[in-house]
Amino acid sequence: MPPKLKTTLIWIVAIFLVYAIVTSPDRAADLVRALWDMITGAFASFGQFFAGLTE
């Protein structure tokens, strides 16, 4: 991917994220909470898996 195109796409995504947060902060907060729950759940599952391997 050309560097100029990559930079342009990053700016477009950043501007969209700022717009989404400003226009609907409650929905954006819910999305961040859901994403955080998915990430922590994945790490907990990995932990349980590796703990099960060591038993």
Side-chain angles (χ1 to χ4, degrees), residues 7-28:
T7 303
T8 303
L9 288 175
I10 290 172
W11 274 105
I12 289 171
V13 169
I15 291 169
F16 174 75
L17 288 174
V18 169
Y19 169 78
I21 291 170
V22 169
T23 57
S24 182
D26 292 336
R27 188 169 176 198

Side-chain angles (χ1 to χ4, degrees), residues 1 16-17 19-20 25-26 30 32 39 44 53:
M1 180 180 289
F16 174 75
L17 288 174
Y19 169 78
D26 292 336
D30 290 340
V32 169
I39 291 170
L53 288 178

